[in-house]
Amino acid sequence: MSHEIELKLALPQRALPALRRHALVAAAQKLGTTTTLDNTYFDTPSLALKARKVAVRTRRQGRQMLQTVKCAAVSSGGLSSRPEWEQPWAGAFDFSMIDQPEVARLLARHHDALVPVFTTRFRRETRRHTPEPGVSILLMIDTGEVKVRTADGTERSAPICELELELESGRPQDLVELACTLAQDLPLMPADISKAERGYRLFLDTPLSPVRAEPSTIDAGQNVVEAFRTLAFSCVRQWQGNAAAALASADPDDIHPDFIHQMRVSQRRLRALLKLFAPALPENFAGTWNARLRDNANRFGDARDLDVFYAELLEPVLPEGLADPTAMAALLDTVHQARNEARHFASHRLDMATQGRLLLAFTADLYRLPVGSLAAAADLRAFARLRLNSLRKRARRQAAAAGTLAPTRLHALRIGFKLLRYGVEFFAPLFAARTINRYLDGVVQAQTALGFLQDVDIAHQRLSDWTRANPALAPAAAFVLGWHAPRYVRLRRRILCECAPLLDGRKPW
């Protein structure tokens, strides 16, 4: 068994000439001629191997035929590591060399049921980059396509255009450092999805879906910096998955808004994580990246605010013949136009070069983090308690300041609860699940109530601005605000009382 460590980078077809001309690529030793690789992936009719994240492939490379078995990769910022078994193929599968018992049993059980599922055909240019003694990296430029032919004769295909960096010798982060250098001049996006995964998606005709936040997987045996890195890579996967899915759209105006929204969620979670772990991180690291991530999220404007306004505040309103129909129609037109403009602005500000450069730079900085400091060596549970206590005290002060129920103070309290929620979610595996989940439910409910109040306050200001520009909207604006007024007043009166047990009661950590 070999262990493959690689970093896959997607790039647009138009960037290939610039990639080949890049000084580092042009100077790298060329290995052989450009080769065409024909690959066929096999599975059972029920896709039993896919369910266990195992891939079986045959490859024709010139006159040579190879059989390859790969297992699921652990990926962080596009950098993946996976076990791989490769051997000559003579027309029949031979799994006797598989030395991982679970994989060997799986393949033995399904040996006779394996059938072709999809193919990939691409041309590969290979070079070797040796920047210093002890470091050797293969640069492989792959261009071609994934192809599927279903039982009913339907044919589907998807293009392949990527740069694969494979580590021959050196450290995994050497791949990231090289990618960072290349990304300064080229539009490169870390790509976690393997060719096998792309083939299965094509076979199943599975659309891309928004990537949501992963549950925390830290454990008490990690030091503080290791825990931070684990959580940060989780946020990076959410960021990268949504950015890549959005960029896969041929027309920016067709990008589903949830991709942009979940990408912004990843930025908020990363910024919360940076603040939470700041005492254990190098000086200026948290501040610098907090600012860069904030600026990146701000590139996408207020599209989400308008989506919330429409879905949460406008769509539920039932005119029932009481609202002015002309004004309501005009308001709907105004909202649709504003949403379309905001979505257009957000999607057209998303570009592969900027997101790829930021993702790679942040990933490189994560690998560079030192782990020898006193803060890093602190007990993780003790650190978590200190940080959660700090977040709760801050929220308690914000609750006291919100006694006047001023919208700005309630908004600050909402931010405080959001940070507390993220902190509890990040550290949840370190404490008793039942009590921490019960507490988290309460925090989410409080944040949701405060969020509704904030949404109505923003809507009030937005409707006022639109009404000043077009007085004909006034009856509809008043009707919408009046519709939500009872709930707004009720929540506003009791919100501080409902927050009090979460801020003053027994702590679950």
Side-chain angles (χ1 to χ4, degrees):
M1 178 183 71
S2 63
H3 223 74
E4 181 183 64
I5 299 175
E6 64 181 19
L7 174 58
K8 207 178 293 287
L9 300 162
L11 73 159
Q13 192 91 19
R14 56 180 168 75
L16 285 171
L19 172 63
R20 294 185 179 106
R21 289 195 305 267
H22 192 281
L24 282 178
V25 177
Q29 176 193 2
K30 191 170 184 180
L31 302 181
T33 59
T34 300
T35 306
T36 298
L37 303 178
D38 286 296
N39 308 280
T40 302
Y41 288 78
F42 293 79
D43 207 329
T44 69
S46 62
L47 304 184
L49 301 191
K50 176 185 181 297
R52 298 289 293 276
K53 298 184 178 180
V54 173
V56 172
R57 177 191 76 196
T58 60
R59 166 172 289 176
R60 179 185 295 277
Q61 183 173 338
R63 295 183 178 180
Q64 186 181 27
M65 289 293 293
L66 295 171
Q67 166 195 301
T68 306
V69 176
K70 294 188 179 187
C71 293
V74 178
S75 182
S76 301
L79 184 65
S80 62
S81 173
R82 77 181 84 216
E84 175 183 280
W85 297 265
E86 190 166 74
Q87 65 191 71
W89 192 70
F93 289 114
D94 174 11
F95 299 129
S96 59
M97 293 182 64
I98 307 299
D99 54 3
Q100 206 170 87
E102 288 185 11
V103 178
R105 286 194 295 269
L106 174 72
L107 294 173
R109 187 162 61 250
H110 297 293
H111 180 284
D112 297 334
L114 297 179
V115 293
V117 180
F118 58 89
T119 63
T120 64
R121 179 182 174 88
F122 55 90
R123 290 174 63 78
R124 169 167 286 178
E125 307 166 41
T126 305
R127 296 174 179 270
R128 178 177 285 124
H129 176 62
T130 52
E132 59 184 77
V135 178
S136 180
I137 298 170
L138 294 181
L139 292 81
M140 294 171 284
I141 303 172
D142 293 345
T143 55
E145 63 180 354
V146 186
K147 294 184 70 174
V148 166
R149 184 182 179 88
T150 61
D152 63 2
T154 302
E155 292 188 357
R156 290 191 285 268
S157 64
I160 294 171
C161 188
E162 59 192 28
L163 169 65
E164 201 171 287
L165 307 179
E166 184 174 321
L167 191 67
E168 289 191 303
S169 60
R171 307 166 304 160
Q173 50 264 50
D174 290 327
L175 299 180
V176 183
E177 300 287 355
L178 173 58
C180 283
T181 302
L182 294 172
Q184 294 304 310
D185 307 301
L186 299 163
L188 300 174
M189 169 65 71
D192 281 337
I193 301 177
S194 67
K195 295 181 181 73
E197 289 176 87
R198 294 180 65 189
Y200 277 117
R201 286 188 177 183
L202 200 63
F203 177 77
L204 296 169
D205 201 19
T206 306
L208 293 170
S209 57
V211 180
R212 304 189 182 278
E214 302 171 3
S216 173
T217 59
I218 63 172
D219 65 76
Q222 293 179 299
N223 67 45
V224 175
V225 172
E226 288 170 342
F228 169 77
R229 193 184 282 123
T230 296
L231 293 165
F233 276 133
S234 172
C235 295
V236 165
R237 284 190 288 273
Q238 184 186 14
W239 174 8
Q240 178 180 318
N242 288 294
L247 288 163
S249 177
D251 183 352
D253 289 322
D254 290 337
I255 294 173
H256 195 287
D258 278 352
F259 291 130
I260 302 291
H261 170 57
Q262 289 299 325
M263 194 171 74
R264 294 185 71 194
V265 169
S266 73
Q267 311 290 276
R268 287 201 299 267
R269 289 176 63 84
L270 265 177
R271 293 178 62 203
L273 187 66
L274 287 164
K275 294 173 184 175
L276 192 63
F277 280 81
L281 300 175
E283 188 177 359
N284 296 328
F285 176 89
T288 297
W289 274 110
N290 179 56
R292 294 185 71 177
L293 294 169
R294 178 201 62 215
D295 292 345
N296 190 46
N298 287 344
R299 292 169 60 86
F300 308 113
D302 61 351
R304 179 61 181 175
D305 289 343
L306 283 160
D307 286 338
V308 169
F309 172 75
Y310 178 78
E312 304 293 334
L313 299 181
L314 188 56
E315 198 171 39
V317 173
L318 303 175
E320 299 289 357
L322 299 174
D324 183 317
T326 303
M328 286 298 291
L331 177 59
L332 281 170
D333 286 343
T334 300
V335 174
H336 284 311
Q337 182 179 345
R339 288 176 79 198
N340 288 337
E341 289 176 356
R343 287 181 178 182
H344 177 83
F345 177 84
S347 60
H348 283 262
R349 294 295 300 276
L350 180 69
D351 71 280
M352 182 178 285
T354 300
Q355 297 308 309
R357 195 174 299 126
L358 278 171
L359 277 160
L360 289 167
F362 185 68
T363 299
D365 278 357
L366 287 178
Y367 278 112
R368 296 182 191 122
L369 285 175
V371 295
S373 67
L374 290 175
D379 176 75
L380 184 57
R381 274 202 187 92
F383 179 83
R385 290 189 178 100
L386 285 171
R387 300 307 292 156
L388 290 174
N389 285 341
S390 176
L391 288 176
R392 200 167 91 136
K393 287 178 182 176
R394 178 181 177 182
R396 191 183 299 134
R397 291 194 298 270
Q398 290 166 330
T404 60
L405 300 181
T408 54
R409 297 294 189 181
L410 289 173
H411 175 57
L413 178 59
R414 172 178 167 267
I415 298 300
F417 265 95
K418 182 178 288 188
L419 292 175
L420 180 59
R421 171 191 173 180
Y422 287 156
V424 173
E425 288 176 344
F426 289 141
F427 289 130
L430 305 179
F431 306 106
R434 181 177 298 179
T435 53
I436 206 77
N437 287 337
R438 189 184 304 123
Y439 182 80
L440 184 58
D441 287 343
V443 171
V444 170
Q445 289 175 17
Q447 183 191 334
T448 300
L450 288 162
F452 173 77
L453 297 178
Q454 172 71 2
D455 292 341
V456 174
D457 288 331
I458 292 174
H460 183 228
Q461 182 60 54
R462 196 183 297 276
L463 288 167
S464 297
D465 293 341
W466 285 338
T467 301
R468 277 195 295 272
N470 182 6
L473 299 178
F479 189 88
V480 170
L481 292 173
W483 180 275
H484 293 288
R487 183 185 175 200
Y488 179 87
V489 171
R490 184 173 65 254
L491 285 178
R492 193 165 177 267
R493 284 175 176 169
R494 71 187 192 198
I495 187 62
L496 295 181
C497 291
E498 292 183 354
C499 291
L502 297 166
L503 302 178
D504 298 314
R506 187 176 179 181
K507 294 176 289 190
W509 52 78

